[in-house]
Amino acid sequence: MQKKWWHDKVAYQIYPKSFCDTNGDGIGDLRGIISKLDYLKELGVDIIWLSPIYKSPFVDQGYDISDYYVIAEEFGTMEEFDELLAEAKKRDMYLIMDLVVNHCSDKHEWFQKALADPDGPYADYFYFRKGKNGNPPSNYRSYFGGNCWEPVPGSDKYYFHMFAKEQPDLNWENPKLREEIYRMINWWLDKGLAGFRIDAIINIKKDLAFPDMEPDGDDGLASCWRMVENVEGVDELLEDLKNHTFAKKDAFTVGEVFNIGVEDLPDFIGENGHFSTIFDFSAHMLSDGEHGWYDAPPISFDAWKKAITDSQMRVQNVGFEANIIENHDEPRGVSRFLPDYAQNADGAKMLGTVSVLLRGIPFIYQGQEIGMTNCHRNDISEYDDISTKDQYQVAIDAGCTKEEALACCYENSRDNARTPMQWSADENGGFSTHAPWLAVNPNYKEINVSEQEGRADSVLSYYKELITLRKSPEYEETFVYGNVEPVYEDTDTVFGFMRMGKENRQKILVAANYGKEAVSLPLPGTAKKLLLSNAGRRKLADADHITLESLETAVVLLKA
Ligand code: TEU
Ligand code: CA
């Protein structure tokens, strides 16, 4: 396998609106990010992914871009962006941005021109279609609810949107559109950006016939992602994109890709794949409800372990996936993947160990490194997220009480991860001097950076040790390139795997006990050295057994 500059990197996702506010308007900003670069460097972060910071009406929190060349004034200026880039570089850190090109904002100049002339050239930047017998062109339900087709005012046409109606989908079949997108991407890369996280990128390929599908809900509509799943031909578009942009600059790209088959993995992340890597969502998809959040199934330990293990096995001979516990769309992992008794610092460390030491590129989401959790709200009006509002209504329409509908928002809402970063026990968690745009999680008084910074047994200190271990010259080769071999697969509560060095023949065991009770396990070899423990364990040399207490995690070098 050809080595790439990003193979051994650790990435960190910043949700700018909620990271750090320096001008007291309750909204995080670029200055805030600059002020925390040393914090990130000390944590061990190499690559910083910024969720969208482009000019936007923020209908979907910046994932609706109205100008790709302008920084949102809420966040700062292009000068400040350039400063951020330079400051990151100074610290040997790489910056990647969010590339949202399946759709833009309805306020984008292209769409405004299309509306003004629905038969003109800009209409062809989008999907403008005539309806069928007074109905929309097809019966697709958008991700955020309602029909994917919205009437174009003053015309007999509709335009297509898979997300909000303020996010019209871009027509990738149009070479002019592609050219504009490529020019924009290269413009950012030329500034010194290291690459992109690429939003909803599989969605760019449409079935141009937009055939009706079997309805899968009482609204008579069918989920639009089924069309995406059924259509062929996305590979050609992705190759075209890569060859006109990223490939020329050796840029790092991480695709937001759901649900591709094993047979497609080489095309996506193989040696000359479409992307450097794609996120592994296999554990997250376990809680996809058939009709929405209200019927989301709980995640069992077995299913979770199996999903991750299977995915590691599928990928390791092909390329690298990016491992995440949570992101700005997913609830906090501590509240989601851990049983009640484990939703604490030990549990957070355990989850982090597994995620950071699996094979792949670890992505840490802001606040994960201090064990931030989901957040209770008392009323739907306390949520901001467009998807949460929709899913709340879906739950109510399905017969849930208000309490039940709120409970499913607590479990699934995207706002769980979007509450402000908890920097200190000061007002608003030290995030801002002003009331934040989205209320801070009240547990900031207990869970915050400043409290954890000086404490050796904190989640934050542990994350630093964990990343230091992953990057240590003695073991890095094994953690980055070594294979994964599952162990303790038949146990009820232990997630265990070996990292097997290739040339160096190192054998490193990672074992985590998710159970309430201690378990005694035979080691798959003789211990040489204990590399890391979340339980204050000191040594283990020469042992051939280990007893893991409840929530204990151990990383053990075995004799070769
Ligand atoms: O998400 C794409 C996506 O397909 C979903 O996972 C989405 O998060 C889910 O349906 C919401 O419940 C990406 C971004 O990560 C997300 O924040 C944006 O809202 C979306 O694209 C549109 O740009
Ligand atoms: Ca601000």
Side-chain angles (χ1 to χ4, degrees), residues 60 63 100 103 143-144 163 167 197 199-200 256 258 293 328-329 387 414 418:
D60 185 21
Y63 284 88
V100 189
H103 45 269
Y143 286 95
F144 299 150
F163 294 90
Q167 294 168 296
R197 173 270 185 183
D199 190 70
E256 190 203 21
F258 288 91
W293 293 352
H328 67 293
D329 293 334
S387 175
R414 307 199 298 179
R418 298 178 181 184

Side-chain angles (χ1 to χ4, degrees), residues 141-148 161-164 219 221 390 394:
R141 182 190 315 106
S142 70
Y143 286 95
F144 299 150
N147 202 297
C148 283
H161 65 91
M162 299 191 85
F163 294 90
D219 53 5
L221 302 176
D390 170 53
V394 168

Side-chain angles (χ1 to χ4, degrees), residues 102-169:
N102 170 69
H103 45 269
C104 61
S105 160
D106 62 342
K107 297 292 175 306
H108 193 287
E109 153 182 34
W110 298 334
F111 193 70
Q112 290 298 316
K113 287 182 175 165
L115 286 183
D117 182 6
D119 300 309
Y122 281 96
D124 205 30
Y125 275 43
F126 300 91
Y127 295 101
F128 277 44
R129 291 282 192 282
K130 288 203 166 128
K132 273 191 321 207
N133 321 315
N135 292 316
S138 70
N139 67 340
Y140 304 164
R141 182 190 315 106
S142 70
Y143 286 95
F144 299 150
N147 202 297
C148 283
W149 295 98
E150 189 69 18
V152 174
S155 111
D156 57 353
K157 290 182 172 174
Y158 294 77
Y159 70 87
F160 187 69
H161 65 91
M162 299 191 85
F163 294 90
K165 67 178 188 322
E166 295 87 353
Q167 294 168 296
D169 280 47

Side-chain angles (χ1 to χ4, degrees), residues 20-29 74:
C20 179
D21 172 26
T22 55
N23 65 346
D25 63 355
I27 296 175
D29 42 51
E74 290 84 347

Side-chain angles (χ1 to χ4, degrees), residues 63 79 82 132 135 148 237 240 266 286-287 458:
Y63 284 88
E79 288 67 41
D82 291 339
K132 273 191 321 207
N135 292 316
C148 283
L237 291 179
D240 196 61
L286 292 172
S287 61
S458 68

Side-chain angles (χ1 to χ4, degrees), residues 5-15 19 39-41 43-51 92-97 194-197 252-255 276-279 321-327 352 355-358 360-369 463 466-468 470-471 476 480:
W5 68 263
W6 42 265
H7 281 158
D8 57 359
K9 301 293 182 273
V10 172
Y12 186 95
Q13 179 187 356
I14 289 181
Y15 196 69
F19 192 59
Y39 166 81
L40 297 176
K41 183 72 193 173
L43 179 59
V45 170
D46 306 295
I47 297 177
I48 299 171
W49 154 26
L50 301 179
S51 272
D92 289 321
M93 293 199 276
Y94 304 80
L95 210 57
I96 69 172
M97 280 170 70
F196 292 94
R197 173 270 185 183
F252 170 72
T253 56
V254 47
S276 311
T277 180
I278 58 176
F279 291 112
E321 280 194 337
N323 297 317
I324 60 160
I325 293 177
E326 61 219 29
N327 68 24
S355 182
V356 171
L357 298 185
L358 283 168
I361 319 296
F363 271 69
I364 295 164
Y365 179 74
Q366 67 181 46
Q368 178 188 320
E369 75 278 20
Y463 260 90
L466 183 57
I467 297 171
T468 305
R470 191 191 145 96
K471 291 183 170 183
E476 182 173 53
V480 174

